[in-house]
Structures are given as structure tokens and as C-alpha cells.
Amino acid sequence: MSSPVTKSALRPAQRSILRLVASIEFAKGIFVLLIGISAMLLVHKDAWVIAESLLALFHISTDRHSAQVFLNFADDITDARLWAAVWLALVYSTLRFAEAYGLWKQRTWAEWVAFGSGTLLIPLEIRELIRGVTLLRSVVVVGNLVVISYMLYLLRTGRLAANAVAGAEPSAESGK
């Protein structure tokens, strides 16, 4: 018998979609973990010199406004901010890895985590769309809404199925 927190009644297509979402969450965790490691490697280094080297490597003129913004950002970085970024990346990637594991194993708690974390990002994504509609921002918002809707669908059908099973079982008092 399967665990009560595992959805064993999922159709193969539903299981595939859930595993696709789990893979995306895992990839996001890896990406943010790599950013955290990069931040850790910048501790006690001159970030401005590294930023200038990156601009030269990619043949980006330092006269451009975006290059100046990048250099100013690098100049303002402190070791404390870098360590804060490292810890934030570690916490975020741990959440993504746990969510990916739970979704892969079809755990209801992971569906709640995916639904909640996706819903929390909607205001930020809308703010970015207000700043300017781009293809990337639009894809991110639509993708997030699809994932949130799918998690809501799974949670709702799981609850309906649980209620149907609970309603079908004879109660202890009716047998007396």
C-alpha cells in the first residue's frame, strides 16, 4: 500500500507533468546554487576589477550606460552583502531541491510548497511586466500561472478523492 501522502492514482500524463515541474525546480535550485558559489568566490576580492575584466572579455565598452551601472554595482559590493547573497542562495536552492524531490515522489506537501511559492512570486512578476513587457517576462509569468493552476488542480482533485474515500467508508458509530 502506498503512503497516504503519495498520489498513486495519478495518470501517466499527470505524473509526467509533475516530474517536468520537479525538473524545472531542480534546475532553478542548481542555477541559484551556482550563483551563491560565485558570490562566495568574490569574497575578499576586488569585484570592480573582476567586473571590468568581464566587460573586456565580452567586448562591452565601459562607455555604455549598462556597463557603468554594472561597474557601479560591483564597486558597491561588500563582503557582508556577498555572504548574505550566499546564505540566501543556499536557503532558496534548498527549498527548490526539497520541492523538486517532493514533486518527483508525488508528495502532497510539495504541491502545497509549489503552489505557495509560485503564488508569492506573482506580485513581483507583475511588477516586472509593468516596468516593460518582454518575451522573457511574459513567458515567466505565463509559465508560473500554468504551474500554479496545475498544482491547484492536483490539490483540489486530491482533496475531492480523499473526501470521496472518507464518505464511502462506514463510520464506527453506524455499525453499533
Side-chain angles (χ1 to χ4, degrees), residues 4 27 37 51-52 71 75 98 113 122 125 133 154:
I37 291 169
E52 188 178 43
L71 289 172
D75 199 33
V113 170
I122 291 293
E125 293 168 351
V133 176
L154 288 178

Side-chain angles (χ1 to χ4, degrees), residues 12 46 66 84 90 95 97 130 134 161:
D46 189 352
S66 56
L90 182 64
L95 174 68
F97 292 147
I130 290 171
T134 65

Side-chain angles (χ1 to χ4, degrees), residues 59-140:
H59 304 288
I60 299 172
S61 171
T62 56
D63 294 334
R64 296 181 66 185
H65 174 71
S66 56
Q68 285 300 313
V69 169
F70 182 62
L71 289 172
N72 290 339
F73 176 76
D75 199 33
D76 290 340
I77 287 182
T78 63
D79 286 350
R81 285 183 178 176
L82 288 171
W83 280 115
V86 168
W87 284 109
L88 186 64
L90 182 64
V91 169
Y92 181 85
S93 61
T94 302
L95 174 68
R96 293 295 159 216
F97 292 147
E99 181 181 341
Y101 170 82
L103 291 174
W104 192 271
K105 296 291 190 171
Q106 304 168 35
R107 303 292 198 255
T108 303
W109 61 262
E111 293 168 7
W112 279 107
V113 170
F115 177 76
S117 65
T119 303
L120 288 174
L121 292 175
I122 291 293
L124 299 174
E125 293 168 351
I126 290 173
R127 185 191 71 191
E128 288 301 311
L129 275 178
I130 290 171
R131 288 181 50 203
V133 176
T134 65
L135 180 62
L136 178 63
R137 290 175 182 165
S138 301
V139 168
V140 167

